[in-house]
Amino acid sequence: MAGPTASDVPPTMPVKIFSAGVAACVADVITFPLDTAKVRLQIQGECQTSRAIRYKGVLGTVTTLAKTEGPMKLYSGLPAGLQRQISFASLRIGLYDTVLEFFSTGKETTASLGSKIAAGLTTGGVAVFIGQPTEVVKVRLQAQSHLHGLKPRYTGTYNAYRIIATTEGLKGLWKGTTPNLTRNVIINCTELVTYDLMKEALVKKKLLADDLPCHFVSALIAGFCTTVLSSPVDVVKTRFVNSPPGQYTSVPNCAMTMLTKEGPLAFLKGFVPSFLRLGSWNVIMFACFEQLKRELMKSGQTVNCAT
């Protein structure tokens, strides 16, 4: 009797973690300029000065940044971004199925919505605490500008880690953990649960096979739903993380300052680049993630057969 094919063998936890980390890094490299544009739009209006450049729209922000500060500015903070994906995305995505099995074992043959949400909450929360320093450095490098005689706070990724740790203490590297935890719990639950449910529904109803088109549609829908729910928290997180010591007394103070000075629409700043970035990031990441898992399991099966 023929043994199980590679597609029948479920991927192991190390394979999932490795695949998630690599796929997230690939997605980050491709979509990073959109993330930088999102950060710049989110902090716009924080410092009202006549010399401040006004960014308009996604393409306008990208082109203005490239013209005024150079094309490489769009990738400022990329090393920290990749470190973030390795320490953060690999865990929140790679451990999701394993944690889901833990929550659903002995309760149901098919994991319930409650189990999926619990798994998303758990992996998202753990990953935030581990990866928060990389988030702080990434955002600050993306936000800083050398225009109008402003001296950049940091000269590079490791310089930023050192300066933040020495001037603000180790707690400075975990600044904004609360809003980032809230944001990423929302993102992780919405992103993974929506993707899981959509893929399951499309395959079960035989609308699409469990392949690239199915992964594309599921990831795009997951990206849109995630952006809608996470945008307000994301803006507050970006503002608070990027702020110098003393600008805001707390996360609620940051949110109230935004509301009173800029109005409710301030919480939706950068929505379009957020969706373009998160939607495209999801599509690239999940497509790479699914294919990597399959290829790694195939190569493992080939080695086993050969031995």
Side-chain angles (χ1 to χ4, degrees):
M1 186 173 72
T5 63
S7 58
D8 296 327
V9 179
T12 61
M13 185 172 69
V15 165
K16 291 176 187 175
I17 292 174
F18 177 79
S19 300
V22 172
C25 285
V26 171
D28 227 39
V29 169
I30 296 172
T31 64
F32 204 78
L34 291 172
D35 191 41
T36 302
K38 178 201 74 170
V39 169
R40 287 299 182 95
L41 284 167
Q42 287 177 335
I43 64 172
Q44 183 163 263
E46 192 172 34
C47 298
Q48 301 286 356
T49 63
S50 58
R51 297 183 302 172
I53 290 178
R54 302 298 298 175
Y55 300 113
K56 294 182 179 180
V58 186
L59 291 177
T61 303
V62 170
T63 54
T64 300
L65 265 172
K67 287 178 182 177
T68 57
E69 301 182 50
M72 292 307 296
K73 187 61 184 177
L74 295 168
Y75 284 92
S76 181
L78 179 61
L82 296 179
Q83 290 165 6
R84 177 179 179 271
Q85 299 306 340
I86 292 168
S87 62
F88 176 71
S90 60
L91 295 179
R92 75 177 182 89
I93 297 168
L95 289 177
Y96 174 75
D97 287 338
T98 303
V99 176
L100 179 59
E101 288 173 12
F102 172 78
F103 281 113
S104 58
T105 299
K107 297 177 182 177
E108 58 270 313
T109 53
T110 303
S112 66
L113 179 60
S115 295
K116 291 179 179 181
I117 291 174
L121 287 169
T122 303
T123 59
V126 169
V128 165
F129 282 109
I130 294 173
Q132 183 63 17
T134 62
E135 174 76 14
V136 173
V137 171
K138 179 187 79 74
V139 168
R140 291 195 182 185
L141 288 173
Q142 287 175 307
Q144 74 176 5
S145 173
H146 62 262
L147 298 179
H148 312 302
L150 294 173
K151 184 180 179 181
R153 287 191 279 178
Y154 317 108
T155 58
T157 303
Y158 295 103
N159 175 257
Y161 282 120
R162 183 180 62 79
I163 290 178
I164 293 170
T166 53
T167 59
E168 301 176 43
L170 286 177
K171 67 177 183 180
L173 290 169
W174 271 267
K175 184 175 184 178
T177 299
T178 301
N180 199 32
L181 179 63
T182 305
R183 170 187 177 268
N184 279 293
V185 159
I186 293 171
I187 285 179
N188 209 45
C189 283
T190 310
E191 185 179 85
L192 294 177
V193 173
T194 303
Y195 177 80
D196 209 7
L197 291 173
M198 282 304 305
K199 188 174 82 166
E200 189 178 287
L202 290 170
V203 172
K204 189 176 288 185
K205 293 182 179 180
K206 297 182 179 178
L207 296 173
L208 290 170
D210 187 2
D211 215 333
L212 195 58
C214 176
H215 305 157
F216 178 91
V217 173
S218 302
L220 195 61
I221 293 172
F224 179 75
C225 294
T226 303
T227 307
V228 170
L229 292 177
S230 67
S231 277
V233 180
D234 191 28
V235 178
V236 175
K237 181 270 302 180
T238 298
R239 291 281 185 97
F240 188 75
V241 164
N242 184 57
S243 64
Q247 182 172 353
Y248 303 114
T249 57
S250 63
V251 175
N253 174 254
C254 177
M256 284 304 298
T257 302
M258 285 174 56
L259 181 63
T260 54
K261 288 188 175 180
E262 302 170 57
L265 290 179
F267 293 96
L268 293 178
K269 283 188 173 183
F271 180 85
V272 175
S274 287
F275 169 62
L276 290 177
R277 196 262 174 174
L278 199 52
S280 55
W281 191 92
N282 268 310
V283 168
I284 297 166
M285 192 284 298
F286 278 115
C288 291
F289 179 51
E290 299 280 9
Q291 295 304 311
L292 264 174
K293 286 191 298 181
R294 290 182 181 182
E295 291 305 316
L296 287 172
M297 292 309 294
K298 280 182 184 178
S299 62
Q301 287 293 105
T302 304
V303 171
N304 288 338
C305 289
T307 53

